[in-house]
Amino acid sequence: MLIASTLVAGTVAPGDVKIENIAVSESLTGMAGNASEGRKTFANRKLGNCLACHANADLSEQLFHGEVGPSLDGAGARWSEPQLRAIMVNAKAVFSDRTIMPAFYSLEVGENVRKDLIGKTILSAEQIEDLVAYLLTLK
Ligand code: HEC
């Protein structure tokens, strides 16, 4: 798994993100995400690897779609932007501690973490914002 590099100035640090009522209202980067970059991150098996668990008709050119999680068709209509950001930051804080969806922008990634991964998040703040922008296009 590729790991997000060090924080860019102006970015909210993982430990400082507040999830309230299943929502994170402010952009983590202070900027709007880029939906077409988010689409690439979604499909990238080494980054979000979202397709391992989620079907998504918008990416029908990709061969394998997992079914462990719900289909994300219409996710942008089911959830608001702050809700999608909360889900992307830490699905465990939104659904349950036991969800198998990874916490993509959290330092609480579980026990027995490889030493070189301690203090890192799976995705960067920018990648989270790009994914939020992309998910909002799935209507
Ligand atoms: C290891 C499997 C797994 C991976 C990888 C994963 N998810 Fe999930 N996701 C789930 C499961 C399971 C749920 C349902 C929540 C629960 O556990 O009840 C979920 C729920 C969601 C939801 C809410 C679904 C709805 O009802 O509309 C969204 C949005 C979502 N995931 C987006 C993503 C994105 C984007 C990625 C990639 C960055 C991703 N997920 C990666 C397993 C996964």
Side-chain angles (χ1 to χ4, degrees), residues 59-122:
L59 286 163
S60 55
E61 77 271 16
Q62 300 275 335
L63 284 184
F64 175 79
H65 293 208
E67 293 183 340
V68 176
S71 159
L72 294 184
D73 297 350
R78 279 195 295 281
W79 303 94
S80 69
E81 178 184 322
Q83 289 174 327
L84 286 171
R85 185 174 292 111
I87 294 170
M88 294 319 308
V89 163
N90 188 350
K92 301 186 191 302
V94 172
F95 300 116
S96 120
D97 277 349
R98 293 194 318 213
T99 183
I100 55 160
M101 178 158 160
F104 286 106
Y105 196 69
S106 167
L107 299 179
E108 289 159 31
V109 287
E111 292 164 32
N112 304 319
V113 177
R114 257 168 47 203
K115 265 213 187 89
D116 53 326
L117 303 187
I118 292 173
K120 312 246 173 89
T121 56
I122 301 172

Side-chain angles (χ1 to χ4, degrees), residues 75-77 79-82 84-85 131-139:
W79 303 94
S80 69
E81 178 184 322
L84 286 171
R85 185 174 292 111
L131 280 165
V132 170
Y134 172 61
L135 290 168
L136 282 169
T137 70
L138 304 178
K139 297 270 159 101

Side-chain angles (χ1 to χ4, degrees), residues 28-39:
L28 301 176
T29 60
M31 289 183 291
N34 176 327
S36 66
E37 286 302 316
R39 190 175 189 272

